Amino acid sequence: MDNPYSMVFGKEPELFVSRATQENKVINDFSGDNPTYQTYLLTGVRGSGKTVMMTEIANKLRKFDEWIVVELNPDRDLLNGLAANLSSNNKLAAIFKEARINLSFLGFGVEISGVAPITDIEVALHEMIANLKKHNKKILIAIDEVTNNENIRVFASAFQIMVRKDLPVFLLMTGLYENINAIQDEKNLTFLYRAPKLEMKSLNIGAVAQKYADTFDIDSDGAVEMAKLTKGYPFAFQVLGYLTWNNNGDYKGVLAEYRQYLEEYVYEKIWSELSSKDKEIAFAIAQCETGKIKDIRELLHIDTNQFNPYRKRLIKKGIVDGSEYGFVRFTLPFFEQFVIENYYD
């Protein structure tokens, strides 16, 4: 049997801990007769499982005849990409041809005699999707790792108009907190500001332990110890499982390599994206053994009003957990040691 764990970002691993509650919430909202939301934003730290969850939702909806799932590249023209995906599907192309939608000018499909070609991509998409609606079709558009670029802004504005026209389009986007936040702050994209965000927080330690117990020949105590070494961080779950599998089930023998992978694959990138003040706050958190905000502020010689904005930002970035009143702790395994070792560098 091949190793069921994966260390490849963006690829759905063979073995993972699902987020069934959040997945079902999106699917149920999108599938309702009068959906409350037609957009969901998935956000979290690198390796938190955003892409895996988006893939799971897309795969589940693909099983229903009424759903059309289109995955788009955020660095390309998204409107053209959507039209190209729809028109390249033979069944859908037959619907467009029957409706006498002439897309030849835009490079999609064949010319229809006696019908003027549509020359605007948004007009074309409205015609295409309106006809799909008559055939009881719904379209899920999935875009992974978005940034605030021109492609996203143009597409989001067009999508907003489609929603206003009651077209059956649904949008699922993943991105880092700061990238999602930048898009939501665009003045002409206010609908995204109201769109619900699902934060990819730590996995349940018990669920992680059960997965390890099912995979490896270890007792429940060993499985729980393994799970705690991941802190519920999805990428850490994959890395520790992958290395342990290759080491014949001996997880204690791979801890140094495990930590090295986390640092090289994720932590160095996270660290490089923090501001100097973020790093200073993180260093104080790492130094403070109690985790008490009061003690951390004393190390920094700052008051609550000065500390809170950075605390909130690190929490939103997915690096820090502030769920326990008066305390903050890192969400990522071995991140304290990484911060201490890298701060002065």
Side-chain angles (χ1 to χ4, degrees):
M1 179 180 175
D2 294 333
N3 195 322
Y5 297 93
S6 173
M7 294 196 292
V8 179
F9 276 103
K11 179 181 178 181
E12 184 176 9
E14 180 182 334
L15 190 63
F16 62 94
V17 180
S18 71
R19 301 177 186 270
T21 301
Q22 289 178 307
E23 288 172 10
N24 290 335
K25 176 176 176 56
V26 175
I27 291 171
N28 291 337
D29 277 355
F30 283 178
S31 301
D33 292 333
N34 294 296
T36 305
Y37 300 108
Q38 288 180 239
T39 302
Y40 267 94
L41 309 173
L42 310 182
T43 184
V45 70
R46 296 178 189 278
S48 59
K50 302 183 294 295
T51 302
V52 170
M53 182 171 167
M54 183 180 74
T55 303
E56 272 288 282
I57 293 170
N59 287 342
K60 287 180 179 179
L61 289 178
R62 274 193 182 98
K63 296 177 181 178
F64 299 96
D65 289 338
E66 68 266 29
W67 280 98
I68 303 160
V69 177
V70 178
E71 298 182 40
L72 298 178
N73 182 343
D75 294 321
R76 300 186 64 180
D77 186 322
L78 294 164
L79 295 177
N80 272 287
L82 177 57
N85 270 273
L86 295 176
S87 62
S88 63
N89 182 305
N90 290 334
K91 291 182 178 179
L92 304 185
I95 292 175
F96 304 143
K97 187 175 181 179
E98 182 184 347
R100 298 181 63 76
I101 302 174
N102 191 340
L103 303 171
S104 60
F105 181 87
L106 299 169
F108 309 120
V110 297
E111 186 171 353
I112 299 174
S113 61
V115 179
I118 299 173
T119 59
D120 181 87
I121 189 66
E122 287 191 48
V123 173
L125 282 170
H126 288 187
E127 287 288 323
M128 295 163 76
I129 297 170
N131 273 278
L132 291 177
K133 181 180 179 179
K134 293 177 183 177
H135 287 75
N136 299 313
K137 298 293 186 181
K138 296 181 178 181
I139 303 168
L140 173 66
I141 302 161
I143 309 176
D144 195 24
E145 292 298 341
V146 298
T147 57
N148 185 17
N149 62 30
E150 183 66 15
N151 292 322
I152 291 292
R153 290 192 292 271
V154 169
F155 175 81
S157 295
F159 181 86
Q160 187 172 5
I161 295 171
M162 293 180 197
V163 172
R164 286 206 303 266
K165 290 190 173 183
D166 197 30
L167 295 178
V169 288
F170 300 82
L171 179 61
L172 194 58
M173 297 197 299
T174 78
L176 299 175
Y177 157 74
E178 52 269 32
N179 293 335
I180 291 290
N181 194 56
I183 296 169
Q184 288 182 310
D185 283 344
E186 286 289 327
K187 291 181 181 178
N188 60 333
L189 302 180
T190 53
F191 84 102
L192 282 178
Y193 191 81
R194 297 189 297 272
K197 280 191 291 191
L198 295 182
E199 296 181 12
M200 303 292 100
K201 297 183 178 180
S202 299
L203 299 170
N204 179 274
I205 291 296
V208 173
Q210 187 60 56
K211 288 288 185 181
Y212 282 146
D214 293 342
T215 307
F216 302 109
D217 185 21
I218 53 176
D219 58 24
S220 59
D221 289 342
V224 169
E225 185 178 346
M226 276 190 77
K228 287 181 177 178
L229 285 168
T230 72
K231 286 192 172 183
Y233 175 44
F235 184 63
F237 165 70
Q238 293 294 329
V239 173
L240 184 57
Y242 183 90
L243 297 175
T244 301
W245 178 277
N246 289 344
N247 199 42
N248 301 314
D250 177 17
Y251 67 92
K252 293 181 180 178
V254 301
L255 294 183
E257 189 178 4
Y258 167 58
R259 180 179 168 186
Q260 180 182 350
Y261 266 95
L262 293 177
E263 292 181 0
E264 292 182 359
Y265 274 68
V266 184
Y267 296 174
E268 289 175 2
K269 181 63 175 176
I270 290 174
W271 188 249
S272 71
E273 294 171 341
L274 296 179
S275 70
S276 58
K277 192 65 179 180
D278 287 333
K279 291 178 179 178
E280 182 183 347
I281 299 294
F283 183 57
I285 294 173
Q287 285 182 303
C288 183
E289 295 182 1
T290 66
K292 289 183 178 179
I293 291 175
K294 178 177 176 294
D295 295 340
I296 296 168
R297 287 195 294 100
E298 287 179 359
L299 284 173
L300 292 163
H301 305 292
I302 61 176
D303 61 27
T304 300
N305 291 335
Q306 292 173 300
F307 179 76
N308 273 345
Y310 295 100
R311 176 185 67 85
K312 290 178 180 177
R313 192 157 74 180
L314 290 175
I315 289 172
K316 288 179 178 179
K317 284 178 176 286
I319 300 169
V320 165
D321 175 28
S323 58
E324 184 180 356
Y325 181 77
F327 291 82
V328 288
R329 295 182 175 87
F330 289 117
T331 60
L332 308 175
F334 298 112
F335 198 67
E336 295 91 341
Q337 295 93 319
F338 174 82
V339 170
I340 290 171
E341 292 170 5
N342 287 271
Y343 179 69
Y344 288 109
D345 291 342

